[in-house]
Amino acid sequence: MATAATQNPPRERKPSMGAPISSLMQGPVGPGYTRPKHKRTFTGFGAGDIKSVEASIPEPQREAWRKFSASGFKTKEEFEKEFVKHVETTLARSLFNCDELAAYSGTALAFRDRLVIEWNKTQQRQTFADQKRVYYLSLEFLMGRALDNAMLNVGLKDVAKEGLGDLGFRIEDVISQEHDAALGNGGLGRLAACFLDSMASLNYPAWGYGLRYRYGIFKQEIEDGYQVEIPDYWLDFNPWEFPRHDVTVDIQFYGWVRKYTDDNGKNVSSWEGGEIVQAVAYDVPIPGYRTPTTNNLRLWSSKAASGEFDFSKFNAGEYESAVGDQQRAETISAVLYPNDNLDRGKELRLKQQYFWCAASLYDIVRRFKKTKRAWSSFSDQVAIQLNDTHPTLAIVELQRILVDIEGLDWEDAWNIVTNTFGYTNHTVLPEALEKWSVPLFQNLLPRHLQIIYDINLFFLQSVERKFPKDREMLSRVSIIEESQPKMIRMAYLAIVGSHKVNGVAELHSDLIKTTIFKDFVQIYGPDKFTNVTNGITPRRWLHQANPRLSELIASKLGGYDFLKDLTLLNKLEHFIDDKDFKKEWAEIKYANKVRLAQHIQKTTSVSVNPKALFDVQVKRIHEYKRQQLNIFGVIHRYLAIKSMSAEERKKLTPRVSIFGGKAAPGYWMAKTIIHLINKVGEVVNKDKDVGDLLKVIFLEDYNVSKAEIICPASDISEHISTAGTEASGTSNMKFVLNGGLIIGTCDGANIEITRETGDQNIFLFGNLAEDVEDLRHAHYYGKHELDPELKKVFEVINQGMFGDQSAFSSLVNAIVEHGDYYLVSDDFRSYCETQDLIDETFKDQDGWISKCITSVARMGFFSSDRCIQEYAESIWNIEPLDVEK
């Protein structure tokens, strides 16, 4: 790579700003003259520029434009007209060959057109207001399906339903044609999507920045019980994105740094040579609920700067290498979280992160420069939130732009940087905090490595001045870890480069201050660290996922205002003894369970009884989330049923254990958990002795649209991470908001859900976070007795009840021989006893429904709207835009 770079002249970056306004206003203006010729700028014009351009356009031309300006449909007939127009002209279909996919496309395009009108107005409104904006940087945005969300947010789903009915289609069939946007994997990405929805619904001027993954993380298929990864071709038809082929940024990799003194005697660093990859912008409109605000999510796609096709190589017979540059460039935005078990995978991940951060910063900086403000006001106009450590390079990149390109002094630049960024931490697991090797950085991002060393030097000097006798602290807090090879601690860099650091649940925020970031609290003081407990958007997770429950709630509360102020749900407690209300509540839950049972039958060919207790654990597969504890509990239940008499079985509560989630491609233990779940299911589901008393289901390729079917159908959901390991969790909130109860540990947001809903409405078990380290120590250095019931589970696994026992030996040995790090054995008895309590409680259906209603009524705190208001007030210092003006 370096040798190729030396043969090519260095590529200059494009200037940080579009064409200056002076070049747009040349030539006479008036009757008989055409509009002044102007060149589109990357980010449009500033507020003053727009007024100047508008004034230069003759009134008759402005009037003609206004006369034919697009307006969105409002009635059923207008929708039908838009639908038919798109089917016939955009899709080139007709009445005779318009299938459900074409109907989805026509509907989506009709709603997209409507969104675009509001989207353009929103961007103009925000430009004219010229106030501070927030930019949310997240490597994941787990958006789910866009059509249903757009219909509900603009308040026209009923119009579309009637119109589609007139045209011969069921709206449910049309909605189901849409692929989920494959831009995320777990709670991190779904939180980002909920936040985008809330920022738009609350009228905050905000942009999201992410990557446009061509194949998502992967599509999960199950073959012989094992997870198999295949590409997710979600972009085959995506009406919700707008390619901005004129908004491109050249991103540099590799090369070297030239240091010299300029004519003014100033030391200058210039990053030269290397390889250029082009970032191309794709924009996705994000509609708010019951507001004209439609914000923007900008996703970057990678392509070769030299073009897609090298004709000279092709003519020389080098057909494969003729497209080699393009293929190599496209890998950057091909897949979310490429497997980093190999060094090349690590390099690709770091490339991905820098590519996205550099393109986003470039965009943000040129938008700021358009306002013609002084650099000192940058942090008064721009707030950037880092969603976990993935975008931490944005800190270094902004410092590089300010010092190397814009010529600011180091101290002034660093002051701007630290006042601009906020960092959200999502993990207390030390092994989950990102680190990159110094040699990798040296090769890929040589200038950034120098800047990181300088940031670290100045930071450590300030620490030494504050704590002159504590040399050990310097090595503990250093951004550079003195290991072999040396590593860059990205979480530490994020803390040093941000003005606020927040956790995402009260326990989590306390833990990071007393464990992984303890020294930084001493250095900066407690005020730098805060808590914003996560939340979810009720628009998608109640109104969209569970429309009948939303309608029932609205009928009691006098309308849908609770979707903008979730605390209004507390009025539901007045109806806790209303028999008709409870009856309808139970009917809705049963209908949702029937819908999930139909989905299970269709996708797995296993028939389940909707009257059984539906026990659900759907989330990313990871040892700390303890799906292994759940499946060991299922095996324990299975053995208990097998040992019972026919009379004893009649007293049992039938149960369906439902699992779902993806394991990272390189995470063998997580894949083994999936394999065991499926093998247990194969045995249990065919056992005629057990019948409907127990079914075990694994739903493949879990995603947002499947969650919208699963959450409303759960009776109990499992949030059973080892205490002190789950930062917050948000699926717990989704299940409770849909009228399900929780079995969980005292971890993450479970604690705050207990506080809000009451400990009589949640099933808690297991050890507490403060005891975890002592238990682990006892496992390694003391006596570690396995739970006797868990021993029986391991015995039947080792005897081959669920197939080749060697396939599961790593899972069993992690507990028996390797210290049981996640305390499965310690919590097993408590877990099983709590499950027995759930069985008994579920038999009293009237009491169970009362618990469910009470829990929903007390979920007002867990709205993502509340989160965004807390971020806006305590971290971003931004105000919502007045859309009534």
Side-chain angles (χ1 to χ4, degrees):
M1 204 60 80
T3 52
T6 55
Q7 294 164 1
N8 297 324
R11 291 279 297 264
E12 289 296 318
R13 281 207 169 196
K14 292 174 184 173
S16 299
M17 180 140 166
I21 197 72
S22 58
S23 66
L24 309 175
M25 311 306 300
Q26 292 164 359
V29 171
Y33 292 104
T34 61
R35 286 182 59 170
K37 301 292 186 286
H38 69 265
K39 180 184 174 187
R40 185 188 185 281
T41 66
F42 287 118
T43 50
F45 300 110
D49 301 340
I50 291 175
K51 288 169 184 164
S52 303
V53 172
E54 187 178 31
S56 73
I57 300 169
E59 180 56 36
Q61 292 170 20
R62 272 187 274 167
E63 181 54 39
W65 190 283
R66 278 195 291 267
K67 184 178 175 184
F68 297 108
S69 272
S71 59
F73 66 85
K74 292 185 179 67
T75 65
K76 180 183 70 155
E77 290 73 22
E78 288 171 346
F79 165 73
E80 289 172 13
K81 181 182 176 185
E82 288 290 306
F83 175 94
V84 172
K85 181 188 82 174
H86 275 300
V87 169
E88 291 188 346
T89 61
T90 311
L91 305 176
R93 297 282 190 101
S94 69
L95 168 67
F96 308 106
N97 64 355
C98 180
D99 57 10
E100 285 172 352
L101 181 59
Y104 158 70
S105 304
T107 307
L109 289 164
F111 273 91
R112 185 197 71 170
D113 288 356
R114 203 181 185 291
L115 288 190
V116 170
I117 296 162
E118 294 298 347
W119 184 37
N120 277 326
K121 288 178 182 174
T122 299
Q123 298 311 313
Q124 288 170 11
R125 199 161 46 238
Q126 290 178 2
T127 300
F128 277 124
D130 200 19
Q131 67 185 57
K132 189 173 188 177
R133 293 192 202 203
V134 62
Y135 297 99
Y136 197 82
L137 268 58
S138 180
L139 202 54
E140 295 185 39
F141 287 96
L142 200 56
M143 304 301 294
R145 289 173 173 160
L147 176 58
D148 201 8
N149 184 62
M151 288 174 168
L152 289 166
N153 277 12
V154 300
L156 290 170
K157 187 170 182 179
D158 289 340
V159 166
K161 185 175 183 177
E162 288 177 32
L164 286 167
D166 286 355
L167 295 161
F169 296 97
R170 286 178 70 246
I171 193 168
E172 294 81 8
D173 297 332
V174 170
I175 289 169
S176 70
Q177 296 298 311
E178 183 177 357
H179 283 291
D180 275 39
L183 296 169
N185 177 35
L188 184 85
R190 188 51 238 174
L191 181 78
C194 284
F195 280 4
L196 290 183
D197 177 87
S198 286
M199 286 188 279
S201 297
L202 296 170
N203 302 312
Y204 284 104
W207 280 50
Y209 278 104
L211 281 174
R212 179 181 178 266
Y213 303 106
R214 187 76 186 83
Y215 307 111
I217 183 164
F218 57 83
K219 193 170 189 296
Q220 181 193 55
E221 291 187 351
I222 302 298
E223 291 183 12
D224 193 28
Y226 286 101
Q227 169 180 292
V228 176
E229 301 92 19
I230 62 170
D232 187 349
Y233 297 106
W234 70 284
L235 281 170
D236 286 351
F237 175 73
N238 181 21
W240 305 103
E241 67 175 14
F242 291 88
R244 302 293 200 193
H245 294 301
D246 51 346
V247 181
T248 61
V249 188
D250 284 349
I251 308 298
Q252 188 177 356
F253 296 105
Y254 310 107
W256 60 90
V257 180
R258 182 167 69 93
K259 295 198 171 191
Y260 62 93
T261 306
D262 68 9
D263 297 340
N264 300 319
K266 188 175 181 181
N267 293 326
V268 178
S269 295
S270 173
W271 182 18
E272 298 178 356
E275 174 183 278
I276 302 289
V277 175
Q278 197 169 70
V280 182
Y282 286 75
D283 288 346
V284 180
I286 308 293
Y289 177 71
R290 286 188 177 175
T291 173
T293 298
T294 303
N295 281 336
N296 194 42
L297 168 60
R298 177 157 284 181
L299 303 171
W300 299 103
S301 185
S302 55
K303 63 182 282 190
S306 57
E308 293 180 19
F309 190 77
D310 190 323
F311 232 115
S312 59
K313 285 183 179 176
F314 188 82
N315 287 341
E318 298 173 26
Y319 305 126
E320 290 80 10
S321 60
V323 291
D325 286 353
Q326 178 66 2
Q327 288 176 338
R328 194 163 56 252
E330 281 184 349
T331 58
I332 293 174
S333 60
V335 174
L336 169 64
Y337 302 136
N339 186 352
D340 63 352
N341 288 354
L342 304 170
D343 285 343
R344 289 190 69 190
K346 288 183 175 67
E347 179 176 284
L348 182 55
R349 278 206 185 191
L350 185 57
K351 247 187 176 179
Q352 224 177 36
Q353 291 184 10
Y354 177 65
F355 172 85
W356 151 60
C357 290
S360 303
L361 256 295
Y362 190 62
D363 212 38
I364 292 165
V365 165
R366 71 183 167 205
R367 194 170 293 112
F368 169 77
K369 289 183 75 172
K370 184 180 67 177
T371 68
K372 302 181 176 63
R373 284 182 167 87
W375 281 111
S376 56
S377 63
F378 186 84
S379 58
D380 298 328
Q381 289 295 108
V382 174
I384 302 175
Q385 191 65 28
L386 307 175
N387 192 26
D388 214 356
T389 54
H390 309 124
T392 305
L393 273 169
I395 290 170
V396 190
E397 177 66 2
L398 182 56
Q399 182 73 359
R400 189 187 73 82
I401 290 169
L402 295 177
V403 173
D404 291 1
I405 298 174
E406 301 298 338
L408 272 69
D409 290 335
W410 179 278
E411 287 293 331
D412 293 341
W414 187 241
N415 193 42
I416 291 166
V417 169
T418 51
N419 285 321
T420 298
F421 286 98
Y423 161 50
T424 303
N425 173 272
H426 284 277
T427 184
V428 291
L429 302 176
E431 65 272 22
L433 296 174
E434 278 193 310
K435 295 176 187 176
W436 297 108
S437 81
V438 166
L440 173 59
F441 246 90
Q442 178 67 55
N443 181 42
L444 190 67
L445 302 167
R447 178 58 184 141
H448 294 76
L449 181 63
Q450 292 178 351
I451 292 171
I452 289 169
Y453 267 103
D454 285 343
I455 291 169
N456 195 42
L457 173 65
F458 297 135
F459 167 62
L460 292 180
Q461 285 174 344
S462 70
V463 173
E464 191 168 34
R465 283 195 296 273
K466 207 168 184 182
F467 305 95
K469 294 178 181 174
D470 195 345
R471 290 291 174 87
E472 284 186 8
M473 180 185 272
L474 295 179
S475 63
R476 289 199 307 269
V477 301
S478 173
I479 294 166
I480 309 298
E481 180 181 87
E482 298 296 329
S483 52
Q484 287 297 327
K486 290 183 180 181
M487 303 293 282
I488 299 167
R489 298 156 159 163
M490 300 306 278
Y492 290 9
L493 178 57
I495 293 169
V496 173
S498 301
H499 65 96
K500 279 282 185 185
V501 177
N502 73 283
V504 289
E506 284 179 11
L507 173 67
H508 170 234
S509 295
D510 288 343
L511 282 172
I512 62 174
K513 285 195 285 187
T514 55
T515 57
I516 51 175
F517 301 149
K518 183 179 178 182
D519 290 320
F520 290 95
V521 176
Q522 213 180 335
I523 293 163
Y524 289 111
D527 289 351
K528 180 161 179 161
F529 297 83
T530 187
N531 174 64
V532 182
T533 298
N534 282 344
I536 57 173
T537 168
R539 273 79 64 178
R540 182 177 288 270
W541 292 112
L542 180 55
H543 193 44
Q544 180 174 327
N546 205 343
R548 279 189 63 192
L549 184 61
S550 181
E551 188 180 356
L552 175 63
I553 291 169
S555 72
K556 295 296 180 187
L557 301 189
Y560 287 99
D561 289 350
F562 67 92
L563 293 173
K564 287 289 277 267
D565 179 4
L566 202 60
T567 59
L568 295 173
L569 286 178
N570 61 18
K571 295 178 182 175
L572 286 177
E573 292 205 52
H574 300 318
F575 306 99
I576 206 86
D577 297 318
D578 183 329
K579 286 186 178 174
D580 291 337
F581 177 66
K582 289 172 87 169
K583 182 168 178 277
E584 194 169 350
W585 187 285
E587 284 170 0
I588 290 167
K589 175 61 75 174
Y590 183 72
N592 287 329
K593 290 172 74 174
V594 168
R595 180 175 66 155
L596 178 56
Q598 290 168 343
H599 177 78
I600 290 169
Q601 173 74 49
K602 182 180 169 187
T603 55
T604 69
S605 302
V606 178
S607 176
V608 301
N609 178 6
K611 289 182 179 172
L613 186 152
F614 278 20
D615 172 352
V616 181
Q617 188 179 19
V618 285
K619 53 186 72 202
R620 190 164 53 89
I621 309 293
H622 197 292
E623 288 168 277
Y624 88 81
K625 293 179 184 285
R626 296 206 295 189
Q627 286 92 348
Q628 69 273 36
L629 172 61
N630 187 346
I631 194 61
F632 294 152
V634 169
I635 296 170
H636 169 72
R637 178 179 289 267
Y638 176 62
L639 296 176
I641 294 170
K642 292 289 280 182
S643 67
M644 286 177 181
S645 65
E647 284 304 308
E648 286 174 317
R649 288 179 187 174
K650 283 179 186 172
K651 297 174 187 173
L652 267 185
T653 303
R655 186 180 287 237
V656 182
S657 284
I658 299 164
F659 296 82
K662 295 177 180 179
Y667 190 178
W668 177 251
M669 197 71 91
K671 287 182 157 183
T672 305
I673 293 169
I674 292 174
H675 186 212
L676 180 60
I677 293 166
N678 283 297
K679 288 301 178 183
V680 171
E682 283 178 22
V683 172
V684 172
N685 298 340
K686 290 174 185 168
D687 192 326
K688 290 187 172 59
D689 286 348
V690 173
D692 277 350
L693 286 177
L694 183 62
K695 296 288 186 190
V696 181
I697 305 296
F698 187 89
L699 293 172
E700 70 179 23
D701 203 40
Y702 175 64
N703 57 19
V704 174
S705 52
K706 288 189 178 75
E708 289 167 20
I709 298 171
I710 295 166
C711 290
S714 98
D715 293 306
I716 200 86
S717 61
E718 307 222 5
H719 310 277
I720 56 176
S721 51
T722 311
T725 60
E726 184 72 87
S728 166
T730 49
S731 64
N732 43 13
M733 303 167 192
K734 291 157 198 162
F735 282 107
V736 178
L737 189 61
N738 279 280
L741 301 182
I742 280 177
I743 176 172
T745 48
C746 292
D747 199 23
N750 288 354
I751 295 167
E752 284 146 285
I753 290 173
T754 305
R755 186 182 67 204
E756 294 293 319
T757 62
D759 56 11
Q760 71 279 17
N761 298 314
I762 190 168
F763 298 92
L764 295 175
F765 74 96
N767 286 284
L768 301 177
E770 56 259 36
D771 301 323
V772 168
E773 281 310 313
D774 290 342
L775 287 165
R776 283 178 180 157
H777 187 271
H779 289 185
Y780 285 107
Y781 303 108
K783 204 172 179 189
H784 178 212
E785 282 290 327
L786 268 190
D787 181 272
E789 294 302 315
L790 186 60
K791 259 186 188 170
K792 292 177 188 173
V793 170
F794 291 164
E795 281 167 15
V796 297
I797 292 173
N798 290 331
Q799 287 161 10
M801 181 180 276
F802 307 109
D804 179 6
Q805 59 88 20
S806 65
F808 312 116
S809 59
S810 58
L811 203 52
V812 173
N813 290 341
I815 295 163
V816 177
E817 296 176 8
H818 302 306
D820 189 11
Y821 186 77
Y822 295 104
L823 311 190
V824 172
S825 177
D826 301 84
D827 286 348
F828 190 71
R829 178 182 292 277
S830 173
Y831 175 70
C832 293
E833 288 171 353
T834 307
Q835 290 286 16
D836 293 340
L837 175 63
I838 289 167
D839 285 344
E840 287 306 307
T841 311
F842 190 69
K843 287 174 184 173
D844 172 16
Q845 271 297 293
D846 188 66
W848 184 275
I849 290 165
S850 294
K851 286 177 181 290
C852 295
I853 294 169
T854 304
S855 298
V856 173
R858 297 175 180 177
M859 282 298 287
F861 176 76
F862 298 100
S863 168
S864 51
D865 292 355
R866 186 263 314 152
C867 303
I868 291 303
Q869 284 163 339
E870 287 184 17
Y871 275 102
E873 193 173 313
S874 64
I875 299 175
W876 300 335
N877 191 27
I878 63 166
E879 297 287 336
L881 207 60
D882 185 356
V883 295
E884 303 304 321
K885 284 182 182 176

